[in-house]
Amino acid sequence: DAGVIQSPRHEVTEMGQEVTLRCKPISGHDYLFWYRQTMMRGLELLIYFNNNVPIDDSGMPEDRFSAKMPNASFSTLKIQPSEPRDSAVYFCASSSSGSGNEQFFGPGTRLTVL
Amino acid sequence: AQSVTQLDSQVPVFEEAPVELRCNYSSSVSVYLFWYVQYPNQGLQLLLKYLSGSTLVESINGFEAEFNKSQTSFHLRKPSVHISDTAEYFCAVRRNSGNTPLVFGKGTRLSVIA
């Protein structure tokens, strides 16, 4: 089993550029979560999907952030335009239905905005 | 809403010594409790979880945690640590109904000294 796959692993970009982060959940999982990790705020939920439908996006910082899940095997998180304060590690996690089921995390994308 | 407090940001300990990483939570509803471990430049891995039943839960690598409802705590312990246990440890909670997002503490960096 490949686990949750994220790409790219590292991204360095300049302020104002568009950034797209990608996630492939574990096959058969119907929940997908995007979290962000920073030194100041720790790990925070950005948005999560169930069966490709966004359930809660209250953690998305502002309109510059958007997330989509066009099918069960792919999700994107887009930042446009990017700002230095967006620098963080972005994690994708997936799980299957069932209230006690584990969330499996990908390796993360380390984003640096100069 | 739920919140998690990890009382120690860093814990240095000598190899083969015991360790306790403290975690307290706050919630108006019943929750599930988790400990995740993050090794450098990797994603989060589930260490152990409490869903129901026995309040003492164990992991395969010698860690254990005890759920204390009256003290709203879920402290992580290991009687004898190894160099390989050096990592960041995150306590997390989520509602015990449905498949809801995790709420994380700020993390505790465990450094095992030879």
Side-chain angles (χ1 to χ4, degrees):
Chain A
D1 194 347
V4 176
I5 299 172
Q6 291 187 248
S7 65
R9 292 292 310 275
H10 301 273
E11 176 81 29
V12 180
T13 190
E14 292 188 348
M15 183 174 62
Q17 297 298 305
E18 177 179 296
V19 174
T20 300
L21 312 181
R22 297 173 176 80
C23 175
K24 178 179 169 56
I26 293 172
S27 177
H29 283 186
D30 52 354
Y31 281 83
L32 185 139
F33 304 83
W34 282 100
Y35 293 91
R36 179 171 68 173
Q37 184 179 33
T38 62
M39 289 291 291
M40 291 297 294
R41 299 174 66 90
L43 274 154
E44 309 172 282
L45 176 77
L46 297 175
I47 185 171
Y48 78 102
F49 296 83
N50 177 219
N51 291 323
N52 313 336
V53 176
I55 304 300
D56 182 356
D57 65 354
S58 60
M60 296 285 265
E62 50 200 87
D63 292 345
R64 297 184 298 107
F65 285 68
S66 62
K68 295 182 180 179
M69 192 164 187
N71 57 61
S73 59
F74 184 65
S75 176
T76 59
L77 178 68
K78 187 176 292 188
I79 308 172
Q80 166 63 17
S82 58
E83 296 182 2
R85 60 192 167 128
D86 302 330
S87 297
V89 181
Y90 292 80
F91 288 104
C92 176
S94 71
S95 68
S96 57
S97 294
S99 60
N101 285 345
E102 175 184 352
Q103 291 182 21
F104 292 83
F105 282 76
T109 296
R110 182 175 295 277
L111 173 65
T112 302
V113 183
L114 303 174
Chain B
Q2 297 87 48
S3 67
V4 177
T5 302
Q6 291 184 244
L7 297 165
D8 306 296
S9 59
Q10 297 187 59
V11 173
V13 63
F14 286 103
E15 194 174 16
E16 298 184 5
V19 70
E20 179 180 80
L21 306 183
R22 296 179 291 171
C23 171
N24 288 89
Y25 71 93
S26 173
S27 177
S28 57
V29 298
S30 296
V31 294
Y32 293 147
L33 296 137
F34 305 82
W35 276 99
Y36 279 82
V37 58
Q38 184 179 29
Y39 298 101
N41 299 314
Q42 294 187 26
L44 282 78
Q45 302 172 32
L46 180 67
L47 192 58
L48 45 76
K49 62 182 178 182
Y50 172 78
L51 303 182
S52 64
S54 172
T55 58
L56 184 65
V57 291
E58 299 177 352
S59 72
I60 58 173
N61 57 353
F63 282 94
E64 65 179 30
E66 186 158 19
F67 170 54
N68 188 317
K69 189 174 182 179
S70 62
Q71 297 186 5
T72 60
S73 68
F74 191 54
H75 301 331
L76 182 70
R77 302 184 184 94
K78 189 170 186 180
S80 175
V81 295
H82 303 286
I83 294 288
S84 59
D85 293 325
T86 295
E88 186 125 20
Y89 292 79
F90 293 91
C91 182
V93 303
R94 65 176 179 81
R95 273 191 354 222
N96 68 354
S97 59
N99 202 331
T100 53
L102 294 162
V103 175
F104 288 92
K106 289 289 181 68
T108 298
R109 184 173 300 278
L110 174 64
S111 299
V112 180
I113 306 161

